[in-house]
Amino acid sequence: MLKPTEKIWHNGKLIPWSQATLHVMSHVVNYGSSVFEGVRCYALPGGPAIFRAKEHAQRLLDSAKVYRIDVDFTVEDLVSGMVELVKTNRTSPCYLRPIILRGYGEVGVNPFNSPTEVYICNYEWGKYLGSEDDGVDVCVSSWNRLAPNTMPAMAKAGANYMNSQLIKMEAIMNGYVEGIALDVNGYVSEGSGENVFVVRHGTIYTAPLGNSVLPGITRESVITIAKDLSIPVIEQMIPREMLYIADEVFFSGTAAEITPIRSVDKISVNKGGVGPIAKALQKEFYGIVRGEMPDRHNWFTPVPVSSTQPVGVYSGTSRSSCEAIR
């Protein structure tokens, strides 16, 4: 269950959690007209810090631009709002949910007369898909990712996640933790809320953005770390069967972080468990986000918080109101 915090950032001001409400006839309720982000704030030895806040804020504004939503706030404004919120609520580690939506004003499909509302929430959040040491069982979904020129897959829009819900629910109902969707041409796209990486003969492969893939912030972080470790990374179309013969397969995402996949459609990935490349990437990634290694890429925005409230652990196999957000 989602545990409320004290304040929510709304259009530049902090308001009580209970006052962050919408009318049922708001445009977003009727048509899903929102764009959003999922951001992690980690508890480092020196204090709380938000992971890649600027990149998340920029992607949020990019998504809004695609959907012609005018926003009066800059990247710097949004990052400042995240910092202010975490500082005020004194909850870390935590998950942040910035969201831009079209509010109450227009009942038709035309959204231009509906006001733009900008919110940032934060709340406790733990592991999403499972332990980083175990790996998860997944299936290839019967639901495809969005076809090109239908809905923009590069925009992180609320409406897109109706497709994600179908993928996730189908996987859970069939006994899996997560599903992997193919694109309209049958090539590997992504999970319901995660990017997918495949390892074969020492090389990492991941689908390019043209395969209806969200440009994940953690995806880009994984590629950067792999280059630091001199592990070759190739962005190319991935046929479904490569999932079955891969040496390793793993997810990346803000919620999923780096989660190994031990089986696909009940076919073991190699011998199951975590492979050596995923382990090496995890060691670097978790070392950085836990403050055990230096932040060599300047990924963190520090938050001046004097005290914290501990986070609870989330079970990725339950049906949460908050899906995996990359």
Side-chain angles (χ1 to χ4, degrees), residues 191-207:
S192 70
E194 311 88 12
N195 294 112
V196 178
F197 290 87
V198 175
V199 178
R200 177 84 168 162
H201 300 322
T203 297
I204 300 173
Y205 298 89
T206 194

Side-chain angles (χ1 to χ4, degrees), residues 145-191:
R145 265 307 191 200
L146 306 167
N149 215 30
T150 56
M151 295 179 70
M154 284 185 64
K156 192 173 177 64
N160 290 11
Y161 280 75
M162 292 297 286
N163 176 254
S164 294
Q165 289 178 51
L166 292 170
I167 295 165
K168 185 72 172 181
M169 289 188 294
E170 179 185 55
I172 291 172
M173 294 299 293
N174 288 319
Y176 299 95
V177 171
E178 183 58 284
I180 293 176
L182 308 179
D183 70 5
V184 69
N185 294 311
Y187 291 99
V188 172
S189 180
E190 57 185 4

Side-chain angles (χ1 to χ4, degrees), residues 16-33:
W17 180 283
S18 61
Q19 291 182 15
T21 57
L22 296 171
H23 195 281
V24 70
M25 290 307 296
S26 296
H27 204 271
V28 65
V29 176
N30 286 269
Y31 301 106
S33 46

Side-chain angles (χ1 to χ4, degrees), residues 20-240:
T21 57
L22 296 171
H23 195 281
V24 70
M25 290 307 296
S26 296
H27 204 271
V28 65
V29 176
N30 286 269
Y31 301 106
S33 46
S34 69
V35 295
F36 70 99
E37 282 296 316
V39 189
R40 275 195 187 264
C41 176
Y42 289 94
L44 303 184
I50 301 171
F51 186 70
R52 309 206 68 173
K54 293 179 182 178
E55 289 86 350
H56 280 287
Q58 184 62 63
R59 189 174 66 177
L60 180 68
L61 294 179
D62 290 345
S63 297
K65 185 176 183 180
V66 170
Y67 274 97
R68 302 178 188 269
I69 302 175
D70 294 328
V71 183
D72 292 333
F73 299 99
T74 64
V75 166
E76 291 73 24
D77 293 333
L78 295 171
V79 172
S80 177
M82 290 186 234
V83 170
E84 181 184 15
L85 186 68
V86 174
K87 178 181 178 181
T88 300
N89 285 335
R90 302 183 303 279
T91 300
S92 66
C94 66
Y95 198 81
L96 292 110
R97 170 56 53 79
I99 182 167
I100 298 170
L101 58 89
R102 295 192 187 272
Y104 179 78
E106 178 61 62
V107 71
V109 173
N110 172 15
F112 289 133
N113 292 325
S114 298
T116 299
E117 306 279 355
V118 184
Y119 291 87
I120 306 174
C121 312
N122 81 315
Y123 43 88
E124 295 179 357
W125 187 261
K127 288 294 180 184
Y128 180 68
L129 291 180
S131 168
E132 62 203 56
D133 299 321
D134 297 333
V136 294
D137 301 311
V138 309
C139 63
V140 174
S141 179
S142 67
W143 295 97
N144 287 345
R145 265 307 191 200
L146 306 167
N149 215 30
T150 56
M151 295 179 70
M154 284 185 64
K156 192 173 177 64
N160 290 11
Y161 280 75
M162 292 297 286
N163 176 254
S164 294
Q165 289 178 51
L166 292 170
I167 295 165
K168 185 72 172 181
M169 289 188 294
E170 179 185 55
I172 291 172
M173 294 299 293
N174 288 319
Y176 299 95
V177 171
E178 183 58 284
I180 293 176
L182 308 179
D183 70 5
V184 69
N185 294 311
Y187 291 99
V188 172
S189 180
E190 57 185 4
S192 70
E194 311 88 12
N195 294 112
V196 178
F197 290 87
V198 175
V199 178
R200 177 84 168 162
H201 300 322
T203 297
I204 300 173
Y205 298 89
T206 194
L209 301 184
N211 288 113
S212 299
V213 168
L214 183 77
I217 306 299
T218 309
R219 172 184 183 271
E220 196 275 333
S221 303
V222 167
I223 292 172
T224 298
I225 292 172
K227 291 178 180 177
D228 290 346
L229 299 176
S230 299
I231 302 171
V233 180
I234 298 176
E235 296 184 54
Q236 69 166 50
M237 292 188 294
I238 300 172
R240 173 178 179 165

